[in-house]
Amino acid sequence: MTPVCLVLLGPSAPSGAAGPLPVEAVRDVVANRVMTWNICNPCETSDVDRAAEIAAYAPQVIGLQEACVRDVERIREHLENLYGLVYDIEYGTVLRSWGRCGGVPWNPGAYGQAILSAAPMTDPVRVEYPDGGSEDRGYLAVTTTVDGRSVRVFNTHLAHRRQEAVRAEQIGVLAEEVAQQDRAIVLGDFNAVPDAPELTKMWTLATDTDPQCHPSATGTCEPTTDWQTKFDYVFLRGIVPLDHRVRPTPSSDHHLLHTDLDL
């Protein structure tokens, strides 16, 4: 009865934070919508607020970066209990970090990528890049259903700051797998602007969900971070984008990016 009561009554919103959607706004997932979001860890953000951000757009597939397992489990519970949105989860854990995810010194929290899907996921592949740079990094890939069709979905987080050579090697590993797919969706925080040389291999395989965003000087790419750069992408291979939105959020220093697709 507890989940039912929560849905009917709604939760108390944390002080100063946007509360969850009203009950009448709860709806099914949007079958052709995917989302990527670096949720920021460690950050003083409530998982209730994170769930509310996701529920506002109700995507079929969500790729999360900087994801602690404990946080993602709570986000999934809130999505189901407060909004009636039910997701399966696959994790791409690359390290255990007390500083990132808390826990106890002998059992720190798991950290990395996660994919949430409203449809079952199969054939998960978890890859840690040979060189993570200053922190272990990797990608997670699954096969799931978007807009009623099977598609391979990748989720990654590349090395940050001035580690261009490391990112180039990481993209080489990722691109080799993406190239084997006729149709693929590649979500993630690439920590690189569109015209960065290390992104060249991705641009040869796929296009960004924003048709105006490309690596040339004439490309117009909407920023996806608080520091007014585009680091977050939905790369599409063999798939046509219909519409996309970049939504700033107080819950992270990365904006929430979602797109509707024609598969």
Side-chain angles (χ1 to χ4, degrees):
M1 290 298 293
T2 300
V4 175
C5 292
L6 286 171
V7 171
L8 292 175
L9 299 176
S12 297
S15 176
L21 296 177
V23 172
E24 58 269 20
V26 175
R27 51 193 167 85
D28 293 336
V29 296
V30 181
N32 68 333
R33 181 170 295 169
V34 299
M35 173 188 293
T36 184
W37 190 21
N38 181 322
I39 60 175
C40 184
N41 272 305
C43 290
E44 295 182 2
T45 301
S46 164
D47 291 323
V48 170
D49 292 340
R50 287 169 168 156
E53 297 272 8
I54 293 170
Y57 308 106
Q60 173 81 3
V61 172
I62 308 155
L64 301 179
Q65 304 88 42
E66 295 197 17
C68 296
V69 169
R70 293 187 184 96
D71 285 328
V72 178
E73 289 289 351
R74 286 192 290 261
I75 290 169
R76 177 173 64 171
E77 290 174 1
H78 295 320
L79 286 168
E80 181 172 0
N81 294 339
L82 302 179
Y83 303 99
L85 300 172
V86 180
Y87 291 97
D88 291 341
I89 303 177
E90 290 287 350
Y91 293 102
T93 296
V94 292
L95 59 85
R96 290 188 171 275
S97 172
W98 182 87
R100 288 282 195 180
C101 298
V104 292
W106 57 90
N107 186 26
Y111 172 85
Q113 289 73 243
I115 295 176
L116 288 76
S117 175
M121 291 176 277
T122 61
D123 305 315
V125 172
R126 301 167 181 86
V127 173
E128 187 172 333
Y129 294 125
D131 184 358
S134 56
E135 182 179 79
D136 292 349
R137 295 290 163 90
Y139 75 80
L140 168 66
V142 302
T143 298
T144 189
T145 301
V146 177
D147 199 21
R149 298 190 63 184
S150 178
V151 64
R152 194 70 171 163
V153 178
F154 296 80
N155 182 24
T156 192
H157 186 193
L158 302 187
H160 58 77
R161 298 194 178 97
R162 299 185 181 276
Q163 301 180 83
E164 294 86 351
V166 175
R167 287 197 295 274
E169 292 180 1
Q170 293 171 346
I171 289 175
V173 173
L174 176 63
E176 185 175 349
E177 296 303 314
V178 175
Q180 298 181 29
Q181 308 298 321
D182 293 330
R183 294 183 305 116
I185 301 169
V186 186
L187 311 170
D189 174 4
F190 283 72
N191 271 312
V193 294
D195 62 352
E198 62 265 32
L199 282 185
T200 299
K201 288 185 178 180
M202 281 305 305
W203 287 116
T204 62
L205 293 172
T207 57
D208 186 58
T209 185
D210 180 357
Q212 302 302 316
C213 184
H214 42 82
S216 71
T218 59
T220 304
C221 305
E222 190 172 357
T224 65
T225 67
D226 287 354
W227 49 97
Q228 295 301 302
T229 54
K230 179 176 173 67
F231 277 0
D232 306 272
Y233 297 82
V234 177
F235 280 114
L236 303 173
R237 179 172 171 82
I239 298 170
V240 177
L242 296 177
D243 192 18
H244 76 283
R245 292 289 184 271
V246 177
R247 301 298 191 192
T249 164
S251 299
S252 174
D253 53 359
H254 284 254
H255 304 342
L256 188 154
L257 168 61
H258 69 83
T259 184
D260 294 348
L261 305 173
D262 182 2
L263 279 79

